[in-house]
Amino acid sequence: MIIWLNGTFGAGKTTTAKELVSLLPNARVFDTEQVGYMLRHVLGKPVRHFQEFPPWRALVVETARQVLDHVGGTLIIHQTVLEKPYWREISKGLAAADIPVRHFLLHADQNTLIERIHNDTDPESIGALQWRLDHLSDYQDALPWLRREAEIVDTTYTSPSRVAKLITEMATTH
């Protein structure tokens, strides 16, 4: 099984993913950005984002399949995907590989997102502060289809540990 945490910067995906690993037996984080970094090294820098590379989407599916075939359990993926065609390609690939996916949208209001982005102390995040802020409008544009395709968990006033508990309950009871 895959638990996919979608949402924009500051929604709590990375922190929630770490919490989920401690709650779910045989769960591990699969950081799909690493696939993007590898492709960037091989293919060069994309125009906007490594998700533009068709091999990224296919390699995410194939890597998830290979990892799950090797170790089983649950993969927690904390990756923002705001392009509907990209999400469709990934979700169809995972379905074809017979991998169940629970797609959760971690959502917070705009002011909370801006505050979290400004207060992030991760060195990589600090360097990308403006880039992260600039992409909040992309998230707003994607919200209509995301609301239809994902289970929404509002993180505005909820701690990551509570969000992880909610997702654990949702993922294990449906």
Side-chain angles (χ1 to χ4, degrees):
M1 169 193 252
I2 291 176
I3 295 177
W4 194 295
L5 305 178
N6 205 343
T8 194
F9 306 104
K13 297 179 307 296
T14 303
T15 308
T16 300
K18 292 174 188 171
E19 295 279 342
L20 279 167
V21 168
S22 69
L23 294 174
L24 293 167
N26 300 315
R28 56 190 39 85
V29 172
F30 170 29
D31 185 353
T32 60
E33 285 193 10
Q34 297 302 319
V35 175
Y37 298 149
M38 182 268 303
L39 286 173
R40 185 178 290 155
H41 174 74
V42 174
L43 301 175
K45 189 172 176 143
V47 176
R48 287 179 32 101
H49 196 275
F50 57 75
Q51 291 180 14
E52 295 171 343
F53 293 136
W56 178 80
R57 300 182 297 278
L59 284 170
V60 164
V61 170
E62 183 58 20
T63 305
R65 186 188 68 74
Q66 292 274 341
V67 169
L68 287 171
D69 284 350
H70 183 69
V71 296
T74 302
L75 291 183
I76 312 297
I77 298 176
H78 55 94
Q79 179 67 58
T80 302
V81 178
L82 301 180
E83 297 293 331
K84 187 176 179 180
Y86 297 174
W87 175 252
R88 288 277 170 88
E89 184 178 339
I90 292 166
S91 59
K92 285 180 182 177
L94 294 168
D98 203 28
I99 301 170
V101 177
R102 293 299 295 269
H103 182 202
F104 294 95
L105 174 64
L106 303 190
H107 176 77
D109 66 53
Q110 185 86 349
N111 290 335
T112 299
L113 293 170
I114 291 168
E115 180 181 328
R116 288 178 184 171
I117 291 168
H118 277 289
N119 292 328
D120 194 337
T121 58
D122 177 50
E124 283 187 33
S125 299
I126 293 169
L129 175 84
Q130 192 58 52
W131 190 85
R132 294 170 85 203
L133 290 169
D134 290 345
H135 284 79
L136 290 177
S137 62
D138 295 336
Y139 173 67
Q140 292 300 319
D141 293 344
L143 264 176
W145 76 262
L146 284 169
R147 290 183 189 277
R148 289 188 304 273
E149 304 248 349
E151 299 173 72
I152 300 170
V153 179
D154 193 321
T155 67
T156 304
Y157 302 109
T158 310
S159 70
S161 62
R162 181 67 188 131
V163 170
K165 287 176 186 165
L166 288 169
I167 290 171
T168 299
E169 291 168 10
M170 294 167 77
T172 56
T173 58
H174 288 93

